[in-house]
Amino acid sequence: MELDIKQIMEIIPHRQPFLLIDRVTEMEPGKYIKGYKNLTYNEPFFAGHFPGEPVMPGVLQIEALAQLGAVAVLSQDAYKGKTAYFAGINSAKFKQKVVPGDRLDLECEIIKIKGPLGIGAVTASVNGKVACKAEISFMIG
């Protein structure tokens, strides 16, 4: 299942400039999702992080992954119309810089959902090389 930006915005409440997903390319709701964010020099965070050497902040890479995971979870009938709130990060590792012109490929595997709590294993990569990996937790409300 593929989703464009308009369909993504029907599932999660994020909007520009804080929506960090351009497209979902593959999804099995509640289980697995892939998507991407094309990064341009026009992204607002590049102006100040860092002038002369723009780098996507690691925390925004994690946020993009969390938004992607939220799409996978909130696409299920049981959670439609709800919001997924970020609850924690475990084992985050940042392996390389993400810069303007990169396509940040995003993946999330939902490991567990029990009641309103869940855990996802997430990976962001550029050109097949891992930029960041983590385990994230969320609450559905």
Side-chain angles (χ1 to χ4, degrees):
M1 170 187 290
E2 289 194 30
L3 302 173
D4 63 22
I5 199 161
K6 185 177 178 184
Q7 293 166 307
I8 292 166
M9 290 191 305
E10 291 172 1
I11 299 168
I12 60 174
H14 303 76
R15 298 294 179 264
Q16 298 299 343
F18 207 68
L19 180 61
L20 298 173
I21 311 166
D22 289 337
R23 180 170 288 278
V24 169
T25 56
E26 192 178 320
M27 177 173 64
E28 186 177 341
K31 297 191 182 297
Y32 184 77
I33 188 167
K34 283 184 173 184
Y36 63 84
K37 170 72 176 160
N38 286 314
L39 296 162
T40 71
Y41 282 96
N42 296 326
E43 307 295 339
F45 49 82
F46 283 138
H49 195 268
F50 300 101
E53 186 186 351
V55 176
M56 183 180 194
V59 69
L60 292 182
Q61 293 173 48
I62 295 289
E63 176 63 25
L65 290 160
Q67 289 179 18
L68 189 76
V71 171
V73 171
L74 300 177
S75 292
Q76 298 174 95
D77 289 338
Y79 301 117
K80 283 194 186 213
K82 303 237 182 216
T83 301
Y85 296 98
F86 200 41
I89 307 169
N90 288 320
S91 306
K93 303 258 190 261
F94 299 91
K95 307 276 190 177
Q96 71 173 28
K97 291 193 283 187
V98 177
V99 299
D102 284 346
R103 177 176 131 159
L104 188 64
D105 291 308
L106 308 163
E107 292 183 57
C108 176
E109 178 185 350
I110 305 300
I111 297 170
K112 176 174 146 181
I113 298 179
K114 186 171 183 177
L117 302 172
I119 298 172
V122 296
T123 304
S125 58
V126 175
N127 296 323
K129 294 182 181 174
V130 173
C132 134
K133 282 184 97 148
E135 185 178 277
I136 60 173
S137 55
F138 56 88
M139 291 185 62
I140 301 165

